[in-house]
Amino acid sequence: MNKLKPLLTIGVPAVILFFSSCKKDPLNNLTNEESRIYVTNYDTTANFSSYATFSITDSVTLVQDNQFAGRSFDAYDVNIINAMKQQLTQRGYQPVDKSAKPDLAVNISRIYSSSTVLFDYSNYWDYYGGYYDPYYWGYPGYGYYDPYAVGAYTVNSGGLEIDLLDLKNASSNGDKLVGIWTGLARGEDVFNPANGANEVSAMFAQSAYLKK
């Protein structure tokens, strides 16, 4: 499981602090690409090599203020779907139609918020996944749940969420869909079609364990 480690600086000389105060704030000079943040998390008990096939939703779920807001299939969505197919295939998984009973389901969501909200996602893995649409995979009755981390976002912000769901063991889990991997992307220009492939690639770069 990826964890962010705090950076601790001890005994910084006052002269360094003085000269640092004269420099430009690097956070104000980031490019759009540098502003984007990628976070991944996974079920440490999952055996990723035990899965062979996957299927991806034919469109992207839209979530506005924690509520399902429809589905999308624009240029950005197409690029994300294609990038996921490519990355998973390169990791040894075979794409199949959802009617072929795939081992893994891939759900992609675009999450928007119109207000400042602090989230506690600490119980993410106690549920069945993130913002996926369970009806698409034939498991009705399960709603939308918060992701797994702790964070905050403000007015008119948005982010990308990608979930891998375990269909192979759904019956043994009481017909519940279990999320075994999640990737999140936030930052400037995150929904630009030209950035889709790089965003997925950045998530997989953090997930060396995700392979057949």
Side-chain angles (χ1 to χ4, degrees):
M1 182 178 295
N2 292 323
K3 295 182 179 179
L4 296 177
K5 297 182 179 179
L7 177 62
L8 180 62
T9 303
I10 301 176
V12 180
V15 63
I16 295 180
L17 292 177
F18 173 78
F19 284 110
S20 296
S21 65
C22 298
K23 296 180 179 179
K24 293 182 178 180
D25 184 352
L27 295 180
N28 290 330
N29 294 277
L30 296 177
T31 65
N32 285 349
E33 182 178 0
E34 291 171 336
S35 77
R36 288 192 287 277
I37 298 173
Y38 305 96
V39 180
T40 56
N41 202 356
Y42 68 105
D43 183 350
T44 57
T45 66
N47 179 7
F48 288 95
S49 64
S50 67
Y51 304 97
T53 59
F54 71 92
S55 184
I56 301 180
T57 52
D58 54 12
S59 57
V60 172
T61 302
L62 300 178
V63 178
Q64 176 69 52
D65 297 327
N66 288 340
Q67 298 295 321
F68 176 74
R71 306 194 69 85
S72 175
F73 191 65
D74 63 14
Y76 175 78
D77 304 323
V78 171
N79 287 351
I80 291 293
I81 291 172
N82 289 339
M84 279 299 298
K85 286 181 180 178
Q86 181 180 21
Q87 288 288 345
L88 286 172
T89 300
Q90 290 177 351
R91 296 293 180 97
Y93 303 102
Q94 179 184 357
V96 297
D97 188 84
K98 72 171 185 176
S99 62
K101 297 182 178 180
D103 294 337
L104 292 171
V106 183
N107 271 88
I108 303 171
S109 304
R110 294 165 65 163
I111 305 170
Y112 299 91
S113 174
S114 58
S115 60
T116 301
V117 182
L118 177 66
F119 290 96
D120 178 5
Y121 301 151
S122 56
N123 295 322
Y124 174 78
W125 296 111
D126 294 335
Y127 297 107
Y128 315 117
Y131 289 105
Y132 60 86
D133 182 357
Y135 290 89
Y136 183 89
W137 300 108
Y139 293 87
Y142 304 107
Y144 291 88
Y145 298 90
D146 292 335
Y148 62 85
V150 176
Y153 59 80
T154 55
V155 176
N156 297 325
S157 64
L160 169 70
E161 177 183 337
I162 302 176
D163 296 291
L164 289 185
L165 313 175
D166 183 355
L167 298 184
K168 181 178 179 181
N169 301 305
S171 296
S172 60
N173 291 323
D175 287 336
K176 295 178 181 179
L177 296 183
V178 176
I180 59 173
W181 180 89
T182 290
L184 302 173
R186 284 185 39 77
E188 294 294 329
D189 221 16
V190 68
F191 296 134
N192 186 325
N195 298 330
N198 288 337
E199 291 166 4
V200 173
S201 179
M203 294 177 188
F204 273 75
Q206 297 182 10
S207 308
Y209 52 83
L210 181 53
K211 58 185 178 180
K212 180 73 178 74

